[in-house]
Amino acid sequence: MRIFSGIQPTGRKHLGNYIGAVEQYVAGQQRGDGIYCIVDLHAITVPYDPAQLRRDVYDLAAVLLAAGIEPQRSILLRQSDVAEHTELQWLLMSSTAYGELTRMTQFKDKSAQHEFISAGLFGYPVLMAADILLYRTDQVPVGDDQRQHVELTRDVAQRFNARFGEVLVIPEGYYPPVGARIMDLQNPERKMSTTGGSPQGTVYVTDEPDVIIKKFRTAVTDSGREIRHHRDKPGVSNLLEILAAVRSSSVQELEREFDGVGYGDFKLAVGEAVAGYLAPVRERYAQLRADEPALERELERGAQRARGIASETMRAVREAMGVGRRAG
Ligand code: AQP
């Protein structure tokens, strides 16, 4: 089984990215062949600083390796190193409806945040579809916010196959059972986010343990006393999900364990658990990040392996679409 996912090199990665995505990449290595892609071409669809983008790619490569992506086992690559991603995006544009793209909630949210709305931002979901379909992916581990994009990828692939023949593999989304949508600690009605969150409500993978504990101690809960997962208790429910994810236990077990415990002690317990969970990652990250040439070598090795798979898919796609010289 082939597993593929992309992740943007934008700023520091937060606990939502880590639990909802990165942890799933590491676990995916037990189920199949993983391809994990640092999607720098997605990052340029909103205003950005070129020098910072290069640094962000290395930061993220170090986070992924520190988390447990094994480059001997999985492919870790930088999207822009494999030109087939953008070629396939263009070819898939003709199998994508304009109306579909206008309905993407991420496009609506992001375009409301910026004065200049790039055409790249509009085409973002097609590039994501190309990333996934290029590697004949079976499974895509992502957080809940990417559900709509994965569904679009499936629709585009099905439409392509119906028109040009059975060339593309139809992928399935894979959403973690707990932690698919980690919420902002200060505003538990909104997802923890790189751009839309509150500083105190966003826990970063590289935060110091005391900073993490402080963020949890000040997390918003409610005026009740019960530690229970319920729609009316978004703050407490979020904390229960976070703790379940980092301890690999279930929300129900935790409800029993914390029955009768006060919110203050509960928040401290979650903060300490998260700080302990991220501490080894932060330490390995610091070592790996210090050696940029080694990170670059890993990315180049990953790109070489990825190109082998990508070029085969592109041969089949071009042939089916009647584009370019006839194969063989
Ligand atoms: N709050 C979240 N809970 C669970 N999973 C999440 N993901 C993002 N937020 C949460 C998942 O992380 C992966 C990488 O997302 P990305 O490449 O979009 O990275 P980002 O832009 O830095 O993440 P954000 O926070 O989602 O940015 P904003 O909100 O600014 O657009 C994906 O699999 C995603 O589902």
Side-chain angles (χ1 to χ4, degrees):
M1 175 167 67
R2 181 157 295 140
I3 298 174
F4 173 93
S5 198
I7 181 164
Q8 292 199 73
T10 37
R12 293 184 296 162
K13 292 328 251 188
H14 55 70
L15 187 63
N17 300 137
Y18 198 83
I19 292 174
V22 177
E23 268 280 1
Q24 306 309 314
Y25 306 168
V26 177
Q29 298 183 119
Q30 309 297 329
R31 291 197 304 277
D33 299 328
I35 303 182
Y36 301 114
C37 186
I38 299 177
V39 293
D40 54 344
L41 298 178
H42 283 276
I44 65 170
T45 59
V46 290
Y48 76 102
D49 173 51
Q52 184 61 43
L53 178 62
R54 284 197 194 283
R55 287 193 291 274
D56 285 345
V57 168
Y58 294 127
D59 288 353
L60 181 54
V63 166
L64 294 171
L65 294 169
I69 300 291
E70 297 172 40
Q72 307 307 329
R73 208 175 197 187
S74 304
I75 296 178
L76 175 66
L77 78 144
R78 172 173 41 208
Q79 186 185 31
S80 56
D81 288 340
V82 179
E84 284 85 349
H85 287 258
T86 43
E87 185 188 355
L88 184 57
Q89 180 198 17
W90 182 253
L91 297 181
L92 291 177
M93 285 282 206
S94 60
S95 295
T96 310
Y98 169 80
E100 277 175 319
L101 295 181
T102 60
R103 288 194 290 277
M104 293 294 114
T105 52
Q106 183 173 298
F107 173 69
K108 290 189 213 165
D109 290 350
K110 293 262 156 158
S111 46
Q113 286 169 22
H114 300 284
E115 208 171 294
F116 175 75
I117 304 163
S118 75
L121 188 64
F122 189 64
Y124 181 115
V126 193
L127 181 57
M128 180 166 157
D131 299 340
I132 295 167
L133 299 171
L134 191 56
Y135 297 106
R136 302 182 175 284
T137 301
D138 299 297
Q139 209 179 66
V140 190
V142 278
D144 198 50
D145 60 337
Q146 293 300 319
R147 222 174 253 277
Q148 197 185 24
H149 286 165
V150 174
E151 286 310 312
L152 177 85
T153 300
R154 289 168 56 81
D155 292 345
V156 169
Q158 274 155 354
R159 198 173 295 133
F160 181 101
N161 284 354
R163 174 148 184 230
F164 300 112
E166 294 294 314
V167 172
L168 301 173
V169 172
I170 312 298
E172 299 276 347
Y174 181 87
Y175 309 94
V178 278
R181 184 176 281 264
I182 301 293
M183 309 309 273
D184 188 291
L185 300 184
Q186 289 298 316
N187 185 357
E189 310 279 352
R190 295 198 53 167
K191 77 166 188 129
M192 196 175 280
S193 153
T194 308
T195 51
S198 66
Q200 189 65 13
T202 309
V203 175
Y204 294 104
V205 174
T206 51
D207 273 348
E208 300 280 339
D210 57 329
V211 174
I212 295 177
I213 291 171
K214 194 164 172 216
K215 286 180 179 174
F216 278 96
R217 286 189 95 129
T218 55
V220 167
T221 46
D222 54 56
S223 56
R225 290 159 168 270
E226 259 185 306
I227 297 179
R228 196 161 50 87
H229 196 282
H230 191 272
R231 161 161 41 83
D232 297 340
K233 298 171 81 67
V236 171
S237 300
N238 187 38
L239 295 174
L240 279 167
E241 288 222 15
I242 291 172
L243 190 57
V246 305
R247 278 223 210 142
S248 304
S249 62
S250 75
V251 164
Q252 291 74 20
E253 269 165 23
L254 296 173
E255 284 175 337
R256 281 195 292 278
E257 181 182 333
F258 286 93
D259 186 27
V261 173
Y263 282 173
D265 288 342
F266 173 57
K267 290 197 279 188
L268 182 60
V270 184
E272 284 176 344
V274 172
Y277 164 82
L278 290 176
V281 182
R282 196 167 53 90
E283 277 165 31
R284 282 196 297 274
Y285 167 82
Q287 290 161 5
L288 289 158
R289 185 63 184 88
D291 192 350
E292 228 168 77
L295 293 170
E296 187 53 51
R297 280 195 298 277
E298 286 303 353
L299 293 174
E300 178 48 30
R301 221 192 331 261
Q304 268 179 23
R305 291 166 64 200
R307 278 185 212 114
I309 306 167
S311 61
E312 271 182 39
T313 307
M314 288 315 298
R315 244 198 310 275
V317 168
R318 285 193 212 107
E319 182 68 13
M321 290 185 74
V323 167
R325 211 166 1 119
R326 183 155 246 171

